[in-house]
Amino acid sequence: MGMLSKNPVKFSIFTAVVLLASACSKEPEAPSTTTEPQTPSNFEQVYADISVDNLREHIKTLASDEFAGRLPTTEGEQKTLDYLVNSLKASGFGPGNGDSFFQQVDLMEITADPDMTLTLGDQTLEYKEGMVAGSKREQAEITLKDSEVIFLGFGVNAPEYEWNDYADVDVKGKTVIVLVNDPGFENPDSGKFQGKTMTYYGRWSYKYEEASRQGAEAVFIVHETAPASYGWTVVANSWSGPQYGLVSEDQGASRVAVEGWISREAAVTLFENAGLNFEEEKAKALSGPYQVALNQTASVTVKNDFEKSVSNNVIATLPGSKAPNEHIIYTAHWDHLGTDDSKDGDHIYNGAHDNATGTAALLSMAEAYGDLNQAPDRSITMLFVTAEEQGLLGSKYYAENPIIPLKDTVANINLDAMNVLGRTKDIAVIGKGKSELEDYLKIAADRQQREIVEEGRPEAGYYYRSDHFSFAKQGVPALYAKGGEIPIDEATADYRKRMNVVVTGCYHQVCDQFREKWDMGGILEDTQLLFEVGYEIANTDAWPAWNPTSEFQRK
């Protein structure tokens, strides 16, 4: 859910030359060091002492109803902050921001009145049924009235791909309809973009930002489950209720007036009413930049309640024994979606998998680092960020306002939605091949006799959807890896088939709850693995670099 910088092309897209170089690049060499890591005598014991019981207890607590879904700025946040700080203190970590464990993040909370309808041509769409709509503008009421509707393919302006859906089109005052993902997903053999691997141009955040830059009045993304990588209920749950953004100087005036989603069914009807076939128009949009006026209008009134609020990142440091000014920063987002009082029955989005698991793993790692009989050479910093679910806001704020200078930040290791599907023979690297951090990952994977592989669904764009991306945009090498898809044995394979249905179906749903039946072996191994990765980096004076073929480089 990453947000867009002023120049997304600079950091988020491979050029054709880079793609060619990537295809010819050799395997990375082993990490270059000038000093041998000094393994404390109790490292092996500390590694082994990371336990399922400890991980389970943290997850159960953070995902309990008492924490009310961990929504930023609520009582659930305060309970979460208290729990994190108490745990970190007990592990021997001190405040990471001077004498404070907190970094204040000023947010603008905007809640759209759900009592709205969208008139799109001859159809009227109900909120959360065929559409969701909102506004980032700090206005009590925003009215879109009889706005001309135009279909602009994927809504992409990508000079390096010679692709511009906005070319020679004046969209000022108009409502733009765009497709989700990018042109490579459904046409992987075309040579366009990166095939099935999503680029940042495929992210919803990019599409809203580009429409804003182009001066559109409104933009609606057509939801389709496969290219979005999630169902309509995720859209309805995630884009309704309180929505957060970082406080902006212009009170959101530079954003489009209205932004949202429409269902595929609504899009099909819209195109039929325009005398067009949705699939035929979509095929044209896949073949090249495309625009077509739909000769329909859009109208909606968005009524906003908005207020400035304050949330917090939590930051704690274990000072290094030899180079305390150099830091390895681990990240996990502590937040989730809170509660929805309009629901009958269960109305708490507990967020056990997403991301009590990653938060728990970081707390367990902190305990492990604290149990070492000698601190690593470099400092270890644990950063628990807020408002990830609202667009990576906490990590974005930190990366743009770093407490630890970015030049002193050796690497970022991110944990998000850990593996609850049992032990695996492989480690999936999200965005494989980007940096030398994978060399350190291989050291840790070899200990567990596991293989490093590419992520299973690069088309979902996960590299741009978690907090490591905020660091990568600023040039800091960032690693995001987790258990892969090859189960360790047949029993785990059977369990995985059953539980994967539950986990997938509960993404951003109230059923994302802790389950005693979870096989915690995968989380345990991945926690140990990433603990060792950070430990190895912390005990060398080498600076892991981005690979030459990566779209990211140190600034």
Side-chain angles (χ1 to χ4, degrees), residues 40-80:
S41 60
N42 70 336
F43 172 80
E44 299 289 344
Q45 187 61 53
V46 167
Y47 180 98
D49 284 346
I50 298 173
S51 72
V52 163
D53 289 344
N54 186 262
L55 287 162
R56 179 183 287 113
E57 189 59 34
H58 285 312
I59 297 169
K60 287 178 68 174
T61 301
L62 290 162
S64 66
D65 286 355
E66 179 185 357
F67 284 66
R70 306 189 306 281
L71 185 70
T73 78
T74 66
E75 184 179 349
E77 166 167 356
Q78 190 57 56
K79 288 182 180 296
T80 304

Side-chain angles (χ1 to χ4, degrees), residues 516-531:
E516 292 289 350
K517 293 182 179 180
W518 273 350
D519 181 341
M520 300 285 290
I523 295 182
L524 174 62
E525 281 200 328
D526 291 352
T527 302
Q528 291 172 320
L529 177 98
L530 295 174
F531 166 65

Side-chain angles (χ1 to χ4, degrees), residues 330-356:
Y330 285 92
T331 49
H333 73 91
W334 60 256
D335 66 300
H336 198 57
L337 303 179
T339 62
D340 183 354
D341 293 335
S342 69
K343 283 184 171 292
D344 294 329
D346 188 3
H347 62 285
I348 300 175
Y349 293 87
N350 299 89
H353 185 224
D354 182 16
N355 184 35

